[in-house]
Amino acid sequence: MTFSDQEIEREAERLLRALLWVECQPGVRWDHEACRRVAPLTLEIGALKRERDAVILTHSYVDPEIVYGVGDFRGDSYFLSQQARDCRARTIVFAGVVFMAETAKILSPQATVIVPDGASGCSLADSIDDSMVRRLRALHPDAAVVCYINSSAAVKAESDVCVTSGNVYDIVAGLPERKIIFVPDRLMADNLRAELKRRGVTKEIIATDGTCIVHDRFDAATIADARQRFPGLKVVAHPECAADVAAAADFVGSTGAMMRYVKETAAPYYLMLTECGLVGRLQVETPEKRFVSGCRLCPYMKLNSLEKIRDALRSPRPDQIVTLDEGLRLRAARAIERMFALAPAS
Ligand code: 13P
Ligand code: SF4
């Protein structure tokens, strides 16, 4: 597709208004020239979206030129699942990772769901399979099986209820079963035990050994050091972090809740213990706030690119189209729908 100079110029200005405060490479901020370079791509993706009746869902961890350049909805796993469920478009492009695109397909089976890079896994989702869940259930027949949304469709299909980082504590606290098999995040399970204890709720949590390769690297010593160097610092962590990190933070929540906390809390500095894309979003939406560097990159989320989105919209390869066995999809949908019933808002 070709675009006139005037169209490219207008698009570059739109992109620059959003991306002005964000880096396009380490140490290099977006400028007019960089925006002009990507403008033909974002214009083409916009035209293809209209042609294909497509919406693009973007997780906050993907690059800001995707989130703000072509995304229709941006947010955390819970919010994007709601958008996928309510979506009436013929095509959903999920700029996130495979388990998120699978969740969209479970909730919107009529749509063609596209994942820009079929290799965009997740260390949590890839840590267990459905046979492990069945084995645990056989060992603990009186337990409820709770899966974190960062799990495959097959694992969801074996679970009683799905949870996200925004509702895990409330949903588990409210379940009638005393024994809970919680998969696949061992560190979130530790945080869950601590939170249930704080609430005075007695439950036995049986966990598996998965961790997020981004969040399991943060440590409490870094927090102590940063607090010394930046007086008044607020530390904001994700519940995939280790329990001592969560305990040392000022706020722990989903990426959506982390953003809300920063927007609503005045502080001279913030340390975001999560993926760097979230800091990019905050730089766009709260350019007056100052972030102490400390975030980490998720190699899976960073597999998304404008080029891959454009190519998938032009003509998706089979590995970019999510397909699920219908029986498995229906069983996985039950676990997610139960989550929506138990936690109707994020
Ligand atoms: P959120 O649902 O909080 O956005 O978390 C998704 C995720 O992958 C965190 O690593
Ligand atoms: Fe998975 Fe961690 Fe990447 Fe989130 S940040 S997609 S949990 S590996």
Side-chain angles (χ1 to χ4, degrees), residues 60-279:
S60 299
Y61 289 166
V62 302
D63 289 325
E65 67 270 27
I66 300 176
V67 175
Y68 296 98
V70 299
D72 295 295
F73 296 97
R74 53 188 83 117
D76 61 18
S77 307
Y78 184 93
F79 174 77
L80 295 174
S81 303
Q82 280 180 319
Q83 301 314 311
R85 179 196 62 189
D86 300 341
C87 179
R88 293 289 158 265
R90 265 196 299 135
T91 305
I92 297 174
V93 178
F94 211 125
V97 291
V98 169
F99 80 79
M100 294 178 177
E102 276 188 353
T103 305
K105 184 68 183 176
I106 293 166
L107 295 167
S108 246
Q110 75 293 340
T112 300
V113 177
I114 290 174
V115 58
D117 193 316
S120 53
C122 163
S123 61
L124 281 171
D126 299 341
S127 69
I128 56 161
D129 64 13
D130 50 328
S131 69
M132 288 169 77
V133 181
R134 281 194 297 275
R135 270 205 305 278
L136 279 170
R137 203 192 266 284
L139 282 173
H140 307 281
D142 51 338
V145 178
V146 178
C147 68
Y148 184 32
I149 196 162
N150 294 37
S151 55
S152 66
V155 165
K156 289 184 176 83
E158 295 294 334
S159 302
D160 297 309
V161 61
C162 177
V163 296
T164 68
S165 52
N167 55 37
V168 52
Y169 301 147
D170 289 343
I171 288 183
V172 174
L175 290 177
E177 291 85 353
R178 204 194 64 82
K179 217 182 207 191
I180 307 291
I181 296 167
F182 180 76
V183 295
D185 191 339
R186 170 170 58 82
L187 300 179
M188 189 176 280
D190 290 342
N191 288 318
L192 175 59
R193 285 189 197 96
E195 177 63 18
L196 292 174
K197 191 169 172 203
R198 199 187 63 77
R199 293 184 187 194
V201 178
T202 308
K203 290 203 189 282
E204 182 187 351
I205 308 291
I206 297 148
T208 53
D209 199 29
T211 62
C212 161
I213 53 166
V214 171
H215 293 91
D216 70 1
R217 311 262 157 94
F218 297 119
D219 59 49
T222 308
I223 300 179
D225 179 50
R227 284 200 194 280
Q228 289 238 311
R229 290 163 54 191
F230 301 98
L233 175 81
K234 291 285 185 206
V235 179
V236 189
H238 194 274
E240 290 169 13
C241 293
D244 61 336
V245 171
D250 295 291
F251 179 81
V252 181
S254 66
T255 54
M258 291 169 87
M259 279 196 75
R260 284 194 293 277
Y261 175 83
V262 171
K263 287 181 179 183
E264 289 162 8
T265 309
Y269 307 100
Y270 303 85
L271 174 63
M272 305 301 293
L273 299 179
T274 192
E275 213 278 342
C276 297
L278 197 74
V279 179

